[in-house]
Amino acid sequence: MGIISFQGARSKTKKQDETPIKVSDYMTKDLITFSPTQSVMEVIETLVKHKISGGPVVDNNNQLLGIISEGDCIKQLNESRYYNMPIEDARVEKFMVKDVETIDGNLNIFDAANKFIQTKRRRFPILEDGKLVGQISQKDVMKAALKMNSQHWRDV
């Protein structure tokens, strides 16, 4: 008598697409952006209204200037209270992060996930020819993983 396997029937694995899953396949293209001259209060209203945690700051030519986040806005609220200064005068350009790390849209989604882990960032802008074309977030990477719904990741 031969050896009996108690693992049960295995589902047939689908032949996966040979092309790597790219960041550009899952990035958000319809972005809410901010202007450097916009007030911080307007940014706070927009973040709350759209349930987002931050967004890119761009000029009139859609060139990336920085990123403004909830944390940046909270810092401004705190400083405003501490120094008893009106927040209406606070502009995005003063509180945005200017040294922004970007990511290549052709990068494999798993390499992007690794970059999120290494840098502890929540989002990366994607530029093409110096212009903002999208943004990838940690949530976008998780959506990609759900969409793949694979039993293993070796071939991706």
Side-chain angles (χ1 to χ4, degrees):
M1 182 159 157
I3 298 174
I4 299 173
S5 172
F6 293 103
Q7 278 188 321
R10 293 187 183 188
S11 63
K12 302 267 185 200
T13 56
K14 297 180 213 167
K15 182 164 169 65
Q16 293 185 350
D17 190 2
E18 297 299 317
T19 58
I21 311 299
K22 296 187 297 185
V23 165
S24 60
D25 296 334
Y26 291 96
M27 70 183 184
T28 303
K29 295 174 186 162
D30 186 22
L31 295 173
I32 294 170
T33 60
F34 301 101
S35 158
T37 57
Q38 226 173 332
S39 78
V40 172
M41 284 306 292
E42 285 179 296
V43 172
I44 292 170
E45 288 173 11
T46 303
L47 296 178
V48 170
K49 178 181 175 186
H50 294 283
K51 298 178 182 170
I52 57 175
S53 62
V57 180
V58 295
D59 65 11
N60 293 336
N61 297 321
N62 211 35
Q63 299 245 337
L64 182 67
L65 302 175
I67 287 187
I68 186 97
S69 69
E70 290 171 320
D72 301 322
C73 294
I74 288 172
K75 285 178 197 169
Q76 168 52 31
L77 289 170
N78 192 41
E79 285 181 22
S80 170
R81 181 173 171 250
Y82 183 78
Y83 293 110
N84 198 22
M85 300 289 288
I87 194 167
E88 294 83 28
D89 298 339
R91 299 286 163 223
V92 169
E93 61 195 344
K94 184 177 177 191
F95 297 97
M96 69 183 185
V97 173
K98 295 174 183 141
D99 185 22
V100 179
E101 199 171 346
T102 61
I103 200 167
D104 186 348
N106 292 317
L107 190 65
N108 180 295
I109 200 79
F110 291 101
D111 293 332
N114 191 40
K115 193 161 176 121
F116 277 114
I117 292 166
Q118 291 173 344
T119 62
K120 301 206 185 326
R121 303 240 190 255
R122 295 175 76 170
R123 68 190 66 78
F124 286 107
I126 292 105
L127 304 179
E128 244 176 53
D129 300 323
K131 298 196 186 283
L132 181 68
V133 294
Q135 176 175 277
I136 188 90
S137 69
Q138 291 179 355
K139 190 170 290 184
D140 295 326
V141 172
M142 291 189 295
K143 286 177 187 176
L146 283 174
K147 190 170 183 180
M148 285 181 255
N149 198 16
S150 179
Q151 291 183 1
H152 60 82
W153 308 108
R154 269 182 256 133
D155 297 335
V156 179

